[in-house]
Amino acid sequence: MVIYSVFVVNKAGSLIYHNDHSPSRPEVEKTFGYPLELTLKLQDERLLVIFGQRDGIRVGHTLLAINGEDVSGTKLGTDNEKNVMDVLNDQSNYPISIKFGRPKLSSNERIMLASMFHSLFAIGSQLSPEPRSSGIEVLETDAFKLHCFQTQTGIKFIVLTDPRQGGVDAILHRLHELYADYALKNSFYALDMPIRCELFDTSLQTALEQAEKSGVYSGV
Amino acid sequence: MESRMTSRSKPSILDKPLSKGKGDLNLSSFAFLFSEMVQYCQNRVHTVPELQQKLSDLGQHVGFRILDTLFLREKNYKREIKLLNMLLFVKTTVWKTLFGKEADKLEHANDDDKTYYIVEKDPLVNKFISVPKDKGSLNCAAFTAGIVEAVLNGCGFPAKVTAHWHRGTTYMIKFDEAVILRDKNMEGR
């Protein structure tokens, strides 16, 4: 029972806090022979797999490392000299070991995704056939569950958890309490700004760990 | 006029004895008020020591006013004359009235006769405040230090009280020379 991450979005839709409690980015490393059966394409300064899904490597996965050396953009290694596509097209480098996976989100991407969710939430509550809808509360996928709680003031607490995690409502309310305590009562916190309060961080970590521990028992 | 005639059976508020008062207040209310106080001072100063001085001044307002009621209620009108008893009074009674618990430790400085320390691990006023890095040494317990200073000054023990980050929060109380001399003379008698 894992809690993957926590996001807090203010009433304007911008991300004011995020915490990656247990990052779970799947990574697969495999050895390949020439020619490479996967088709790679450059997108957003990253090389993505667009065809040739096999053995755990799916479409959308990014090239993360070659032979242990990390790939940044299209350049290999720390000296940033060798172009990755050249290395892959050169037969003399094979057999080659390549690591694919979902890359870690950059902070810009996180902010963008949070704003996107904010808009979707608004659209969801408008589309609802019932008046006074609560907006999106749970979003389920086969890999994770996204829970959202909107307070009276428009602040949204979003928690990404394991699908089997129970008692997430309690977690969301506890997060709201912690926000009211350590962010709002802090003289140095300005409303709707990014939350940079140590006490909020530490108490949030403790609350999440507690929830994970008790989540095990509720799952059984 | 009319209401007083009809409520003759109920004693008017001026006839009732002075009550001890309900001593309890919602922590959140106080926390929000204190957070506003710090922000108010913050907007009027330019440096951290000035901010601590302003908080201390606000504390002194509180200290002056609470001193008389405390002696009236707790000590039955008897005022403290000896230094150590006065410090114990501050540590136990004043803290208990203000925060609901006693201060953790009262200590005497090894090298300096005039300096005493009150140590508190987790002051109530700092409970929800995370000081950002650029404010460095700010300790909002300067407010409590102001309260203690006003109490001591009002009782005839002139002193300077400051708050420091040491073993939690330490209030350093520096008495005037005259106070120590007077206390020593009294011991001698």
Side-chain angles (χ1 to χ4, degrees):
Chain A
M1 311 308 131
V2 191
I3 296 178
Y4 295 129
S5 38
V6 174
F7 294 85
V8 182
V9 178
N10 72 3
K11 59 177 176 290
S14 54
L15 187 67
I16 57 176
Y17 183 77
H18 86 269
N19 181 325
D20 288 323
H21 191 64
S22 332
S24 73
R25 296 271 152 190
E27 285 177 356
V28 181
E29 183 149 19
K30 271 180 58 52
T31 321
F32 294 92
Y34 192 79
L36 200 60
E37 283 130 0
L38 309 160
T39 319
L40 297 174
K41 182 181 155 194
L42 183 66
Q43 185 179 331
D44 281 342
E45 293 196 7
R46 290 203 185 115
L47 283 166
L48 292 180
V49 175
I50 55 167
F51 190 77
Q53 191 164 294
R54 57 185 285 222
D55 292 336
I57 302 173
R58 331 260 309 241
V59 169
H61 278 198
T62 313
L63 194 101
L64 290 178
I66 292 186
N67 282 341
E69 277 180 75
D70 285 327
V71 166
S72 54
T74 53
K75 302 277 184 283
L76 184 64
T78 46
D79 43 5
N80 277 358
E81 277 178 3
K82 291 182 277 191
N83 194 321
V84 170
M85 290 313 296
D86 294 338
V87 171
L88 289 177
N89 287 334
D90 192 354
Q91 189 171 5
S92 59
N93 290 326
Y94 284 84
I96 196 169
S97 150
I98 314 181
K99 184 154 61 156
F100 288 97
R102 297 259 312 285
K104 218 164 178 289
L105 282 176
S106 76
S107 51
N108 273 344
E109 284 177 350
R110 258 190 218 110
I111 296 174
M112 220 172 52
L113 291 172
S115 316
M116 232 188 280
F117 181 77
H118 173 85
S119 318
L120 287 175
F121 185 99
I123 294 173
S125 63
Q126 297 280 357
L127 284 177
S128 162
E130 297 282 326
R132 310 179 133 262
S133 155
S134 72
I136 300 176
E137 282 193 352
V138 180
L139 194 124
E140 264 190 70
T141 72
D142 53 355
F144 69 90
K145 238 173 162 178
L146 182 147
H147 299 258
C148 176
F149 169 58
Q150 174 162 322
T151 67
Q152 302 280 45
T153 50
I155 308 275
K156 288 191 236 326
F157 294 96
I158 301 165
V159 174
L160 269 68
T161 71
D162 195 278
R164 294 160 294 168
Q165 173 87 21
V168 190
D169 270 348
I171 298 173
L172 288 167
H173 281 94
R174 179 91 187 107
L175 284 184
H176 186 197
E177 257 183 58
L178 292 176
Y179 172 74
D181 278 345
Y182 297 110
L184 295 181
K185 290 178 188 147
N186 188 5
S187 344
F188 301 104
Y189 172 67
L191 216 55
D192 284 343
M193 286 285 123
I195 301 178
R196 301 245 176 283
C197 314
E198 280 176 52
L199 288 173
F200 182 67
D201 287 334
T202 42
S203 49
L204 189 127
Q205 295 277 20
T206 349
L208 289 181
E209 276 158 22
Q210 222 172 17
E212 279 188 342
K213 258 188 260 170
S214 56
V216 175
Y217 300 122
S218 75
V220 167
Chain B
M1 288 296 152
E2 279 181 22
S3 58
R4 209 172 299 160
M5 302 234 323
T6 50
S7 63
R8 220 177 301 155
S9 47
K10 244 192 314 180
S12 85
I13 194 165
L14 295 171
D15 294 331
K16 284 201 206 134
L18 273 179
S19 68
K20 215 151 188 236
K22 209 175 37 164
D24 289 335
L25 175 67
N26 194 328
L27 178 61
S28 301
S29 317
F30 174 68
F32 281 120
L33 178 64
F34 187 69
S35 147
E36 255 328 291
M37 279 163 62
V38 176
Q39 283 181 48
Y40 175 88
C41 296
Q42 173 92 348
N43 287 336
R44 282 160 175 73
V45 297
H46 303 290
T47 66
V48 171
E50 270 181 45
L51 178 57
Q52 293 204 256
Q53 185 57 41
K54 264 218 155 24
L55 284 174
S56 178
D57 289 338
L58 285 174
Q60 296 204 17
H61 282 283
V62 176
F64 277 134
R65 282 155 185 76
I66 204 172
L67 184 56
D68 283 330
T69 34
L70 273 183
F71 271 113
L72 192 117
R73 287 181 187 155
E74 311 289 335
K75 289 283 179 172
N76 202 16
Y77 300 92
K78 218 162 168 290
R79 69 185 177 100
E80 294 294 339
I81 312 179
K82 299 226 184 64
L83 184 64
L84 194 57
N85 287 345
M86 184 64 214
L87 284 171
L88 280 172
F89 171 75
V90 165
K91 172 187 182 263
T92 54
T93 315
V94 174
W95 240 262
K96 215 158 170 118
T97 319
L98 291 176
F99 305 122
K101 58 173 174 130
E102 292 183 10
D104 291 331
K105 289 197 208 112
L106 170 64
E107 287 167 4
H108 187 44
N110 285 335
D111 41 350
D112 191 1
D113 233 353
K114 302 181 287 201
T115 312
Y116 287 78
Y117 300 107
I118 294 185
V119 180
E120 192 178 13
K121 245 193 317 228
D122 220 351
L124 198 76
V125 297
N126 280 348
K127 188 157 186 229
F128 298 116
I129 299 188
S130 333
V131 184
K133 296 283 183 289
D134 56 335
K135 296 282 181 298
S137 60
L138 171 67
N139 191 337
C140 298
F143 178 71
T144 326
I147 298 180
V148 176
E149 187 167 336
V151 167
L152 288 173
N153 285 343
C155 273
F157 295 90
K160 292 256 172 309
V161 187
T162 48
H164 302 272
W165 290 111
H166 176 62
R167 285 191 284 166
T169 302
T170 303
Y171 303 96
M172 188 172 87
I173 307 174
K174 242 190 148 83
F175 287 102
D176 286 356
E177 279 282 358
V179 177
I180 308 291
L181 280 175
R182 182 184 74 200
D183 207 54
K184 280 220 172 69
N185 285 341
M186 271 193 5
E187 305 262 346
R189 242 185 267 150

